[in-house]
């Protein structure tokens, strides 16, 4: 039998729409970041984000997808800039805190604002921090896709990155 015409799919389930997408993306492990920005009153905002990809090296561009109506998105768009804090393996509590939407999340973590920072830096929880300037954004469904040029990156190569997949956190395996 031609493999392209096989109908035997064993134990597989067919899922459609958002349920199918949730299941598909749960099986796609990714790094964990927190996007942070200041609003017009200099209040810090931030949210956990796993929808982050590299777009181009020239100019150095990435994209993040943030929920429409999110205060973090509003702050970033208003300021025209934001920070991507890529979390290390010991920062799971911070990832969960910023995913919870707790209003006091910035009171519960250490953060700094170095000169020329585009938003709060979570340096004790991040293995890499990128200051980004928004180049373009577009709405798609219930999210806004934000393209941003990376101005500079601060690296701490010692801790391993925090990963998320199959609805659980994990560390980069040691070899």
């Amino acid at each position: 039998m031609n493999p392209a015409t096989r109908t035997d799919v064993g134990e597989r389930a067919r899922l459609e729409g958002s349920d199918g997408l949730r299941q598909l993306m749960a099986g796609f492990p990714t790094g964990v970041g927190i996007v942070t920005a200041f609003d017009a009153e200099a209040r810090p905002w931030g949210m956990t984000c796993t929808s982050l990809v590299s777009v181009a090296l020239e100019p150095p561009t990435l994209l993040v997808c943030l929920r429409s109506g999110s205060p973090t998105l509003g702050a970033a768009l208003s300021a025209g800039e934001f920070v991507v804090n890529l979390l290390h393996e010991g920062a799971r509590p911070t990832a969960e805190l910023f995913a919870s939407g707790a209003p006091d999340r910035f009171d519960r973590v250490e953060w700094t604002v170095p000169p020329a920072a585009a938003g709060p830096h979570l340096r004790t929880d991040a293995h890499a921090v990128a200051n980004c300037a928004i180049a373009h954004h577009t709405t798609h469904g219930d999210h806004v896709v934000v393209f941003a040029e990376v101005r500079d990156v601060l690296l701490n190569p010692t801790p391993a990155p925090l990963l998320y997949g199959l609805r659980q956190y994990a560390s980069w395996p040691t070899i």
Side-chain angles (χ1 to χ4, degrees), residues 3 16 54 77 101 122 146 169-170:
E16 296 180 1
S54 167
L77 293 176
L122 306 178
V146 182
Y169 292 94

mmCIF file of all heavy atoms in Angstrom, residues 3 16 54 77 101 122 146 169-170:
data_model
loop_
_atom_site.group_PDB
_atom_site.id
_atom_site.type_symbol
_atom_site.label_atom_id
_atom_site.label_comp_id
_atom_site.label_asym_id
_atom_site.label_seq_id
_atom_site.Cartn_x
_atom_site.Cartn_y
_atom_site.Cartn_z
ATOM 1 N N PRO A 3 2.164 4.595 1.215
ATOM 2 C CA PRO A 3 2.022 5.256 2.519
ATOM 3 C C PRO A 3 1.157 6.507 2.467
ATOM 4 O O PRO A 3 0.539 6.871 3.456
ATOM 5 C CB PRO A 3 3.463 5.620 2.894
ATOM 6 C CG PRO A 3 4.331 4.738 2.072
ATOM 7 C CD PRO A 3 3.547 4.414 0.827
ATOM 8 N N GLU A 16 -9.768 19.698 15.882
ATOM 9 C CA GLU A 16 -9.906 20.841 14.981
ATOM 10 C C GLU A 16 -9.905 22.137 15.764
ATOM 11 O O GLU A 16 -10.104 22.155 16.979
ATOM 12 C CB GLU A 16 -11.197 20.706 14.179
ATOM 13 C CG GLU A 16 -11.194 19.492 13.267
ATOM 14 C CD GLU A 16 -12.474 19.354 12.470
ATOM 15 O OE1 GLU A 16 -13.364 20.211 12.596
ATOM 16 O OE2 GLU A 16 -12.581 18.372 11.721
ATOM 17 N N SER A 54 12.876 34.446 16.146
ATOM 18 C CA SER A 54 13.796 35.280 15.397
ATOM 19 C C SER A 54 13.232 35.470 14.001
ATOM 20 O O SER A 54 12.705 34.538 13.397
ATOM 21 C CB SER A 54 15.141 34.559 15.331
ATOM 22 O OG SER A 54 15.977 35.152 14.387
ATOM 23 N N LEU A 77 3.325 49.199 23.257
ATOM 24 C CA LEU A 77 2.938 49.987 22.083
ATOM 25 C C LEU A 77 3.024 51.482 22.369
ATOM 26 O O LEU A 77 3.462 52.257 21.516
ATOM 27 C CB LEU A 77 1.537 49.598 21.614
ATOM 28 C CG LEU A 77 1.384 48.188 21.040
ATOM 29 C CD1 LEU A 77 -0.070 47.913 20.702
ATOM 30 C CD2 LEU A 77 2.287 47.968 19.839
ATOM 31 N N GLY A 101 -0.892 36.883 36.155
ATOM 32 C CA GLY A 101 -1.500 38.208 36.109
ATOM 33 C C GLY A 101 -1.587 38.878 37.470
ATOM 34 O O GLY A 101 -2.269 39.893 37.615
ATOM 35 N N LEU A 122 14.783 41.608 34.367
ATOM 36 C CA LEU A 122 14.678 40.599 35.429
ATOM 37 C C LEU A 122 15.991 39.822 35.473
ATOM 38 O O LEU A 122 16.027 38.612 35.253
ATOM 39 C CB LEU A 122 13.494 39.669 35.152
ATOM 40 C CG LEU A 122 12.148 40.351 34.924
ATOM 41 C CD1 LEU A 122 11.068 39.327 34.605
ATOM 42 C CD2 LEU A 122 11.754 41.199 36.116
ATOM 43 N N VAL A 146 3.976 41.511 17.194
ATOM 44 C CA VAL A 146 4.845 42.682 17.307
ATOM 45 C C VAL A 146 6.224 42.339 16.763
ATOM 46 O O VAL A 146 6.877 41.420 17.248
ATOM 47 C CB VAL A 146 4.955 43.151 18.767
ATOM 48 C CG1 VAL A 146 5.830 44.396 18.870
ATOM 49 C CG2 VAL A 146 3.577 43.408 19.374
ATOM 50 N N TYR A 169 7.233 22.558 32.735
ATOM 51 C CA TYR A 169 8.531 23.219 32.640
ATOM 52 C C TYR A 169 9.632 22.181 32.739
ATOM 53 O O TYR A 169 9.468 21.143 33.375
ATOM 54 C CB TYR A 169 8.690 24.243 33.770
ATOM 55 C CG TYR A 169 7.766 25.421 33.633
ATOM 56 C CD1 TYR A 169 6.528 25.449 34.273
ATOM 57 C CD2 TYR A 169 8.128 26.517 32.854
ATOM 58 C CE1 TYR A 169 5.677 26.535 34.143
ATOM 59 C CE2 TYR A 169 7.280 27.604 32.725
ATOM 60 C CZ TYR A 169 6.073 27.599 33.368
ATOM 61 O OH TYR A 169 5.232 28.671 33.233
ATOM 62 N N ALA A 170 10.763 22.490 32.122
ATOM 63 C CA ALA A 170 11.917 21.592 32.151
ATOM 64 C C ALA A 170 13.179 22.412 31.959
ATOM 65 O O ALA A 170 13.131 23.587 31.592
ATOM 66 C CB ALA A 170 11.805 20.536 31.052
#
